[in-house]
Each structure stands twice: as structure tokens, then as C-alpha cells.
Amino acid sequence: MDPDTLVRQYLLLGLGFDRLEDGFVDAFTGDPALRKQIESAPKPDPRELARTARELRGELAGSGLNAERAHFIDVHLRALECSGRKFAGEDIGFVDEVEAYFDVRIEKGNEDAYSDAHRLMGEVLPGPGPLAQRVQAHRKADEIPAARLNECVEAMSSALRDLVRGTFGLPASETVEYEVVGDKPWSGFNYYLGDYRSKVAINSDLPQFMANLPRLIAHESYPGHHTEHCLKEAGLVGSGQLEQTLFLVNTPQCIMAEGLADLALEAIVGPEWGLWAQDIYADLGLSFDGEKAQRLSAASGQLLSVRQDAALMLHDEGRSLDDVALFLERWSLSTPERARQSLKFLSSPLWRAYTSTYVEGYRLLGGWLDEVPVGAERTERFRRLLDEPLVPSSLRAA
């Protein structure tokens, strides 16, 4: 099979999954005729989708694609084969499912590390009463008034956009539109529309905090998801790598994108991001302790695996929703309401494995970036994440 035909078949296969689960295709900026072809066809059999994925993997070696492109498509076909089997009702262990989707092997975290994180957080937030109460009181004081959210979003986005333009560059016509939505299992979501345009939705069901907003905007827009989509569309797609026009849920693209986005704020602003944000909030007449926010973020870093542990408890160990909610309340120091909100995400058939993209993506990409000094070398490595079709096994091999 020639490379153009194989890539076309890969695109049709991926688009077919959206007929089984709306939202499986996160973004498609390729030939509209391909989507119309899928939409006008009968609803696919998931077993046939899995079989097609296996067959296409067998065609890769003789396709003429270079090694990098072939490997990228191969790990994505492996993920799609697993998704087809899951949609067909096969019983696949949760750890194996995550590995097939995201090219990583997961395991439970260390509760001793969580205890140490609580100790460090207590030093940042001293005082009487349980730590959970102190954390929740701190978060309450840090909450952005609903009436001020839009202007805070626009101010943060504008400041980050200027930095990204100066460091990584952006297409002249790129733009992000923000909207506030409700009844969603996430705090924010990027809808990439193609032609360097994104719509970013922010969930009004969850309070938005001053300490978190810079990270949220960096994650979804600059230099996170929107920036990555723009630069890959301009570079990889522009050079003919049409497989990059398709972005699918539950594939290695996701772990790379979420890891990149979670590291985006420090990549563009640096370790003093809190003090940087403090100045922006001050211009808006809002009081924000940036130094404390930095310290608290560093102290809570060892809680990274709590959400993944909750997913393993739910889907691998068969624990009840109540048990998992209590675990989240205990270790993430969240309110019962926020723990239940997290369970919506962990219980969703489409999103249940997705938590691992944040945990393992941050670890893998963060470790890879940390191999070089802060400064020009680190910036250049982050640029590679924005520009190149890398997957987790690519970084491990490197």
C-alpha cells in the first residue's frame, strides 16, 4: 500500500470511531470529503474497525513512510485497535487499556509521598485546624469573582500570547475565542477548529482560582493546545503529513499534548510564574500572593498520582464510588462536591482512562525536559514538543 493510501485509510478509520462515540474525534482539519464519506456510510462495526487497525499496522513496513511517521501511525493504530475491541464489549484490563491507548505502563502511587506533600503544604498554610480546611479556606479566598472571570481570562491570555509570539512564534492569523459553559466533567477544554483558530470552553460549574487561571490559559491556549495545533498545522501538515490533521481521544497524541500543556506555564514564564501573574492581577485591582502560590504548587506536586490511583481503584480494583470519593477527599484535600465532580470524569466511558495522560504525560515530558538546563536548551526541547510528531516511546528511546 502506498503512503498516501495508507494515511487516507488511517484518517477514515479514525473518523469512523466518531460514529460510535461523539467526541472521539477531538479535531479534524483535513479534507471535508473524508468526514462526509464516513457520515454518509452505515454505522461501523467496532470489530471491523479493530480488524482494519490491525491490517493497516501490517501494511506500514512496506508503505514507504519514513521511520518517524510510520512509528507515529503504528502506535495510534494500536490504540485504535484497543478502542475497537472495547467498543465491541471485550473485557480488557484497565492497565492494559491505558498502555494500548497511551504508550505507557501505569502503577499505583505512593501514599508516603502524599503524606509528605501534605506536610509541605501545611508549612505553606500554617494555622489551627485540619489541613483540608486550611486548603479549602485558602482556595475560597483565591476564588475569582464570577463577574471578573472574563476580564481575567482575557488579560492572562493576552499576556501569555505576547510571550509565545516572541519565543515560539505563531501564525499571524491565529485566534482563540473563550466561552463559559456548564455541566461538563472538565475545568477547561480546547476545541481546535483549524486554520489556526480555537474555541476554549471554561466550566462555570467549578470555581476558578487566581492561582490556577494562568496554568489553565497556558494549558488550553498559549503555549499549550492551541499553540501546538497551530504550529503542527503550519509545519507538519503544511509539509504533507496529513495524519496530523486528525486528533483522536485515547491515543498517544493525548498524553503528549496533555503533558506539554501541563508544562506550558513554566516553559513560557519560568519558575516565577506566580509573581508574574501577581502583576497582571494587580493591574486588574485584584490581590494575589504569587510567591505563596508558587510554594503551594511545588508542595502539592507529589499529589500528582492521586487522580490516577482513583482511576485504578475504580476500574482495576473494583472499589465503590463512595470509597473512591473518600480517597480523593483525603489525599487531594478536595471538597465532597469537587471529588464527585472528578468521579464524573473518571466514570465516563470515553474519558475514564484519560486521567493518565495528565499524570504520565507530565512525568514523561517533564523528565525529558529536565535532562537539559533551564534556558535556551530547555526552550528548544519544548519547541520540539510543539513542532514534531513525537510519542512516548520516542522520548524513552531518546
Side-chain angles (χ1 to χ4, degrees), residues 158-173:
S158 178
L160 286 167
R161 183 175 187 255
D162 288 345
L163 290 175
V164 170
R165 281 188 169 277
T167 304
F168 300 115
L170 283 167
S173 60

Side-chain angles (χ1 to χ4, degrees), residues 36-56:
K36 289 180 181 177
Q37 178 178 334
I38 292 298
E39 290 174 347
S40 62
K43 185 177 180 179
D45 180 341
R47 295 174 184 83
E48 285 300 305
L49 293 180
R51 180 185 60 80
T52 299
R54 286 194 299 273
E55 291 176 351
L56 288 176

Side-chain angles (χ1 to χ4, degrees), residues 75 85 88 105 111 159 176 204 206 265 268 283 343 347 389:
V75 294
R85 292 167 57 203
R105 190 81 178 171
E111 291 192 3
V176 176
S204 61
L206 295 174
L265 183 62
I268 195 63
D283 288 343
L343 283 177
S347 303

Side-chain angles (χ1 to χ4, degrees), residues 318-378:
R319 303 281 288 276
S320 71
L321 289 173
D322 288 342
D323 283 349
V324 178
L326 289 173
F327 176 85
L328 286 167
E329 289 175 43
R330 177 187 180 189
W331 290 119
S332 66
L333 302 170
S334 60
T335 63
E337 295 76 20
R338 200 167 184 95
R340 291 289 173 177
Q341 181 76 17
S342 297
L343 283 177
K344 287 184 183 180
F345 193 82
L346 295 176
S347 303
S348 165
L350 181 62
W351 298 107
R352 71 176 208 157
Y354 203 85
T355 288
S356 292
T357 65
Y358 303 105
V359 178
E360 302 299 334
Y362 186 89
R363 283 179 179 153
L364 177 67
L365 274 63
W368 185 69
L369 291 173
D370 284 344
E371 290 175 357
V372 297
V374 173
E377 286 186 77
R378 183 81 58 89

Side-chain angles (χ1 to χ4, degrees), residues 179-195:
E179 65 174 356
V180 177
V181 300
D183 193 28
K184 299 295 182 183
W186 31 255
S187 60
F189 200 96
N190 176 288
Y191 297 93
Y192 188 66
L193 306 175
D195 294 325

